[in-house]
Amino acid sequence: MRFLAPLVTFLLPTVALAAVTGSSNTDKRATAGYVLKKGPLDTPWTEKVGTDPWPEYPRPQLQRSDWLNLNGVWQYQNATANETNSPPFGTDLKQSVLVPYCLESALSGVMGSRMIWSWYRTTFDVPSNWTRNNRVILNFGAVDYEATVFVNGRKAGFNRGGYWAFNIDITDFLHSQGKNELLVFVYDPTDMGNIQIPLGKQVLEPSHIFYTPCSGIWQTVWIESAPRNHVTQLDVSADMHGEVNVTVHITGNVSIPVEIVIHEANSPDSIKHTATGTTGAAFQFSVAKPDLWSPSSPTLYNITVKAGSDKVQSYTGFRTISRGVIDGVKRPLLNGEFVFLFGTLDQGYWPDGLYTPPSREAMIYDLKALKNVGYNMLRKHIKVETALFYQACDQLGLMVIQDMPSLRPSVPVSPPTPGCNVDSVPVGNVSAQNEFDRQLAILIEQHKSYPSIVTWIIYNEGWGQETKREYPEFRLTSMIRSLDPTRLVDSVTGWNDHGAGDFHDNHHYSSPQCGTPFYSIASTPYDPSRIAIQGEFGGIGHNLTIANMWNVQKSINQINNTYEIDADLTIWNRRAHSILGELQEQIELYACSGAVWTQTTDVEGEVNGMLSYDRRINRMDLDMWRSDIQGLYDAAAARSGNSTTKVPRAEGLAMGLMSGVE
Ligand SMILES: *[C@@H]1O[C@H](CO)[C@@H](O)[C@H](O)[C@H]1NC(C)=O
Ligand SMILES: *[C@@H]1O[C@H](CO)[C@@H](O)[C@H](O)[C@H]1NC(C)=O
Ligand SMILES: *[C@@H]1O[C@H](CO)[C@@H](O)[C@H](O)[C@H]1NC(C)=O
Ligand SMILES: *[C@@H]1O[C@H](CO)[C@@H](O)[C@H](O)[C@H]1NC(C)=O
Ligand SMILES: *[C@@H]1O[C@H](CO)[C@@H](O)[C@H](O)[C@H]1NC(C)=O
Ligand SMILES: *[C@@H]1O[C@H](CO)[C@@H](O)[C@H](O)[C@H]1NC(C)=O
Ligand SMILES: *[C@@H]1O[C@H](CO)[C@@H](O)[C@H](O)[C@H]1NC(C)=O
Ligand SMILES: *[C@@H]1O[C@H](CO)[C@@H](O)[C@H](O)[C@H]1NC(C)=O
Ligand SMILES: *[C@@H]1O[C@H](CO)[C@@H](O)[C@H](O)[C@H]1NC(C)=O
Ligand SMILES: *[C@@H]1O[C@H](CO)[C@@H](O)[C@H](O)[C@H]1NC(C)=O
């Protein structure tokens, strides 16, 4: 076991509610069966997880005070395809699982493979002081891929899609007193057979850039008490001029008056603005002189919404994302100014929890590491995170370019890479395309109120992208614009560009080709009618010793498929300096407006992270990276008529190397 340097404690404003009923649902009998598995690699947080994971209030943009967290040790049993027709009601299942960690993860205590069909079971009490007239809502943060939910022996609901929050009003299924039984049947085929579902990097047979899949419940499960007519969704957008656009969605399709209070940013009891409207339809109002949200000053305003007898808390940030022409070049504008978007490719994988970070503290550690060296953005790569992740980006001031989780690659990965010849399936599967479209709309609807998200991505490198006319990205770009007119759309990042959307986006390793008058295989020539961004570059690697590596022989054998391996950290940093220098030159001379460095952390057999997969090694020479990143912002400022833009950096944070490597 390595020596662990003390972890930095982060002083993030917390949004835990003052009076919550949330607490663990730990059942002593079941807990006895849970054992943390020893996985191929752990993190500094693994041992700290315990049996009461992710206790935080899970829905910061629609908070209610009465809630109960159901995370903890549940029962689990491997299943077969048709068992959903004969649920094991009232029966103890064979194994234990720690919810909410993927069944393939060490933290789940299962660490299985081919987890195609599964049963989950727990019991819960409804707090006796929850108002009798209210409804009890069962919430799931995310279940990959299909969940059939049974409460007290009856089917209560179903959800399809591995990345989306869903809830079920279970009031009519509850016992008037005593324990209630919750059974969940999960089906997650991943890339079995011809199946084509939004799944990102998950494959049943991991191979270099494709990783271990995540099956089952992987985000917080909880119940809450809400009035019969309650707010189901709150759409809030607030711009640089103080214009606020709100839609309050409510159950029962009733149209009732809404009262909104916007609190002062730094003074909870002072009111900045009040407004009124009606549920079910968008209404607008104007707030005088708000402090704007930006990476260097991520001001957020708390909001209270009252509709009938329901009252919820939320927040927003005032900012405008747009495109404009500066000195003849198309640019992304934040609050009317060209801001160079510089981020990492952020996969969101963890060696102990896979899709689920071991804890919120761990999750925020990555974000702080990026912020600390000067990144102002991250590209959330073909994965969707918990609401608490986007809230943290809102609070820290990290812009997010959000990908739709891709379908499987539809052509063999190009250029052909030894060791990552994943099975491919043909494009043009109509039912798969329709389901992709439906889930893309859910991505937008569920995430359009986070100020940090600045751009949506539809297709990554042609994966699942139909390349015959009519190219689907045109239709899908229009759909996104109608659901969310406030952001930019990067329709196609890498490979098959047909001119859709706001960006011209090349991928090229290791050196960038960003708005340049030259391009290579799998890139396309710069299109001056759109904003030039380098959706992926960098990717340079550096091997580690086994102590910090995903200790799976097949992954280790594929390490040399990383785009470039540098002999040691000095060389790695020197190479990064040279590549960042090329990017700076492309900002100075050409039309480059943003770039995404591959990547935040190592993942399995990929050894090209800023941080190692276990987060114990930070490869960056921080002084060099800060200076090089400042160079990018300075070069961009020189092209925008502004003198300088300071690197937005988290205050008072010294990260340093967590441990060295030789
Ligand atoms: C219900 O009881 C819990 C303590 O068990 C408390 O935290 C919570 O505030 C109570 N809720 C109401 C609505 O009284
Ligand atoms: C789970 O069951 C399937 C068959 O339904 C089987 O192929 C698989 O090996 C089982 N996995 C485990 C971990 O038992
Ligand atoms: C499940 O049931 C269907 C018919 O309903 C049948 O065709 C299929 O073979 C069954 N699958 C398994 C694994 O038993
Ligand atoms: C199309 O996709 C669906 C959903 O994944 C799958 O069930 C079906 O087998 C696919 N059809 C073909 C022809 O590949
Ligand atoms: C308000 O938002 C809705 C979508 O939620 C949009 O259709 C409408 O155009 C927006 N109105 C204004 C004035 O921005
Ligand atoms: C909700 O009400 C509006 C009119 O108030 C109506 O157009 C719409 O069809 C209703 N939706 C549902 C689901 O009942
Ligand atoms: C905003 O609300 C959260 C609870 O939702 C609270 O913790 C925080 O202190 C509030 N911030 C301000 C500035 O009022
Ligand atoms: C990387 O390091 C591991 C562990 O030391 C070693 O087994 C492997 O051969 C190395 N791979 C390369 C490509 O250097
Ligand atoms: C990669 O490393 C493996 C052994 O770890 C070796 O067999 C293979 O030839 C290497 N491939 C290349 C392209 O160097
Ligand atoms: C930065 O440049 C833009 C565009 O040239 C201009 O609108 C803006 O006022 C400038 N801002 C500052 C702080 O100089």
Side-chain angles (χ1 to χ4, degrees):
M1 192 88 204
R2 284 186 86 85
F3 167 74
L4 306 186
L7 293 170
V8 181
T9 311
F10 303 121
L11 298 173
L12 260 193
T14 58
V15 290
L17 292 164
V20 291
T21 50
S23 73
S24 148
N25 187 47
T26 305
D27 175 324
K28 289 280 175 291
R29 175 185 45 79
T31 311
Y34 169 72
V35 180
L36 168 66
K37 282 276 195 332
K38 179 157 175 46
L41 182 67
D42 70 359
T43 71
W45 299 275
T46 314
E47 299 278 350
K48 296 202 275 177
V49 165
T51 53
D52 188 14
W54 284 91
E56 295 85 6
Y57 187 82
R59 199 181 53 198
Q61 289 195 321
L62 208 171
Q63 307 169 35
R64 276 192 196 92
S65 52
D66 283 328
W67 73 289
L68 179 74
N69 199 331
L70 299 188
N71 290 345
V73 178
W74 291 26
Q75 297 178 350
Y76 158 78
Q77 193 168 290
N78 192 10
T80 53
N82 292 343
E83 277 181 40
T84 187
N85 300 324
S86 51
F89 297 128
T91 313
D92 282 335
L93 306 183
K94 291 181 187 136
Q95 282 176 264
S96 296
V97 60
L98 185 64
V99 170
Y101 299 99
C102 313
L103 291 170
E104 291 83 353
S105 73
L107 275 166
S108 73
V110 175
M111 215 169 87
S113 57
R114 300 193 77 84
M115 302 278 88
I116 314 286
W117 296 281
S118 309
W119 281 112
Y120 284 79
R121 180 174 181 267
T122 191
T123 57
F124 63 96
D125 291 313
V126 175
S128 57
N129 63 355
W130 284 10
T131 309
R132 290 285 163 222
N133 297 333
N134 276 7
R135 310 298 291 178
V136 177
I137 313 297
L138 171 64
N139 294 278
F140 291 84
V143 182
D144 197 0
Y145 174 73
E146 288 180 0
T148 310
V149 178
F150 301 87
V151 176
N152 292 329
R154 287 156 64 201
K155 182 175 167 183
F158 171 82
N159 186 70
R160 175 174 292 133
Y163 302 91
W164 324 120
F166 63 97
N167 59 53
I168 303 166
D169 182 336
I170 57 169
T171 318
D172 297 338
F173 299 88
L174 295 175
H175 293 321
S176 54
Q177 48 185 276
K179 291 272 178 208
N180 296 285
E181 180 192 59
L182 173 58
L183 259 180
V184 184
F185 182 78
V186 174
Y187 168 57
D188 185 8
T190 309
D191 59 341
M192 191 171 67
N194 279 338
I195 287 184
Q196 269 277 61
I197 57 176
L199 85 182
K201 289 241 169 173
Q202 307 179 70
V203 286
L204 289 173
E205 295 295 334
S207 172
H208 196 54
I209 66 164
F210 296 96
Y211 319 135
T212 305
C214 167
S215 300
I217 298 172
W218 67 277
Q219 291 185 25
T220 293
V221 186
W222 52 294
I223 55 173
E224 67 182 322
S225 173
R228 177 172 292 275
N229 286 328
H230 57 267
V231 177
T232 52
Q233 191 184 320
L234 203 53
D235 301 333
V236 180
S237 64
D239 75 10
M240 62 185 282
H241 307 293
E243 297 299 323
V244 184
N245 185 8
V246 177
T247 307
V248 180
H249 301 267
I250 195 160
T251 48
N253 200 22
V254 288
S255 185
I256 59 171
V258 172
E259 196 184 304
I260 293 205
V261 176
I262 300 198
H263 303 271
E264 283 289 1
N266 294 309
S267 157
D269 300 325
S270 311
I271 291 173
K272 171 94 178 151
H273 192 91
T274 57
T276 54
T278 312
T279 56
F283 59 93
Q284 294 81 36
F285 54 91
S286 187
V287 172
K289 295 196 177 62
D291 289 337
L292 301 188
W293 184 96
S294 70
S296 52
S297 177
T299 308
L300 299 174
Y301 288 85
N302 277 354
I303 299 178
T304 305
V305 175
K306 278 189 210 159
S309 51
D310 200 14
K311 180 174 159 182
V312 296
Q313 306 286 342
S314 188
Y315 69 87
T316 193
F318 291 82
R319 93 284 179 276
T320 298
I321 314 298
S322 59
R323 50 184 263 185
V325 177
I326 294 179
D327 273 349
V329 180
K330 276 274 159 61
R331 300 294 192 185
L333 308 181
L334 174 67
N335 299 331
E337 291 182 14
F338 168 38
V339 171
F340 187 79
L341 307 168
F342 191 56
T344 53
L345 194 69
D346 198 82
Q347 313 265 10
Y349 264 79
W350 297 83
D352 45 7
L354 300 173
Y355 258 16
T356 315
S359 63
R360 179 172 181 266
E361 182 194 359
M363 180 182 81
I364 286 171
Y365 183 84
D366 278 9
L367 303 179
K368 285 276 186 175
L370 301 182
K371 187 80 185 172
N372 183 48
V373 76
Y375 285 104
N376 64 7
M377 178 269 278
L378 61 85
R379 176 179 163 209
K380 178 45 65 183
H381 190 40
I382 50 181
K383 183 195 173 192
V384 182
E385 296 285 353
T386 65
L388 292 172
F389 177 92
Y390 299 99
Q391 180 200 31
C393 292
D394 292 341
Q395 292 174 335
L396 286 167
L398 264 173
M399 292 183 279
V400 176
I401 295 184
Q402 177 66 51
D403 291 16
M404 172 63 188
S406 53
L407 303 171
R408 294 161 68 173
S410 35
V411 292
V413 173
S414 159
T417 313
C420 66
N421 301 318
V422 291
D423 288 343
S424 59
V425 288
V427 288
N429 181 328
V430 173
S431 71
Q433 178 73 52
N434 289 344
E435 184 58 20
F436 179 85
D437 298 2
R438 186 188 74 87
Q439 293 192 30
L440 174 62
I442 297 174
L443 169 71
I444 311 300
E445 291 290 8
Q446 292 197 353
H447 297 87
K448 66 183 180 183
S449 296
Y450 295 108
S452 54
I453 298 178
V454 295
T455 291
W456 307 109
I457 288 179
I458 304 170
Y459 286 112
N460 175 65
E461 295 184 345
W463 300 358
Q465 179 189 4
E466 173 64 81
T467 52
K468 292 200 293 269
R469 292 175 183 278
E470 298 292 323
Y471 307 120
E473 64 265 26
F474 285 93
R475 170 174 57 77
L476 294 174
T477 301
S478 302
M479 180 188 83
I480 293 177
R481 291 201 204 287
S482 71
L483 295 173
D484 174 18
T486 71
R487 291 182 176 83
L488 302 179
V489 184
D490 186 357
S491 307
V492 168
T493 183
W495 300 10
N496 305 329
D497 181 36
H498 309 108
D502 297 307
F503 293 88
H504 173 255
D505 185 345
N506 272 341
H507 291 185
H508 193 259
Y509 287 97
S510 51
S511 57
Q513 300 185 336
C514 183
T516 54
F518 52 85
Y519 67 99
S520 317
I521 185 167
S523 297
T524 46
Y526 167 55
D527 165 13
S529 72
R530 292 175 296 157
I531 301 162
I533 190 171
Q534 184 72 28
E536 291 180 23
F537 79 118
I540 57 174
H542 154 252
N543 202 7
L544 297 170
T545 61
I546 203 71
N548 300 99
M549 278 173 52
W550 184 245
N551 193 354
V552 172
Q553 197 54 49
K554 188 178 173 199
S555 298
I556 293 170
N557 291 345
Q558 292 170 346
I559 283 174
N560 55 12
N561 295 324
T562 304
Y563 299 100
E564 168 180 322
I565 300 280
D566 300 328
D568 59 38
L569 273 187
T570 307
I571 306 294
W572 183 85
N573 276 293
R574 208 165 275 162
R575 286 285 298 140
H577 177 67
S578 142
I579 295 164
L580 292 169
E582 283 188 55
L583 185 69
Q584 181 175 326
E585 184 183 70
Q586 295 176 12
I587 301 167
E588 286 163 356
L589 301 180
Y590 310 124
C592 185
S593 293
V596 179
W597 180 278
T598 301
Q599 54 187 343
T600 307
T601 72
D602 294 354
V603 187
E604 302 194 351
E606 285 184 288
V607 292
N608 51 8
M610 312 276 94
L611 309 175
S612 58
Y613 196 21
D614 63 358
R615 278 70 171 173
R616 290 190 176 98
I617 291 167
N618 183 333
R619 288 196 176 88
M620 291 180 283
D621 171 336
L622 291 179
D623 289 341
M624 185 213 86
W625 276 82
R626 281 185 185 135
S627 151
D628 287 350
I629 292 176
Q630 183 64 57
L632 306 177
Y633 296 129
D634 289 347
R639 299 294 305 276
S640 71
N642 298 88
S643 47
T644 62
T645 312
K646 276 272 160 283
V647 174
R649 188 180 300 167
E651 304 266 86
L653 180 80
M655 286 254 315
L657 296 182
M658 291 182 74
S659 73
V661 328
E662 37 287 319

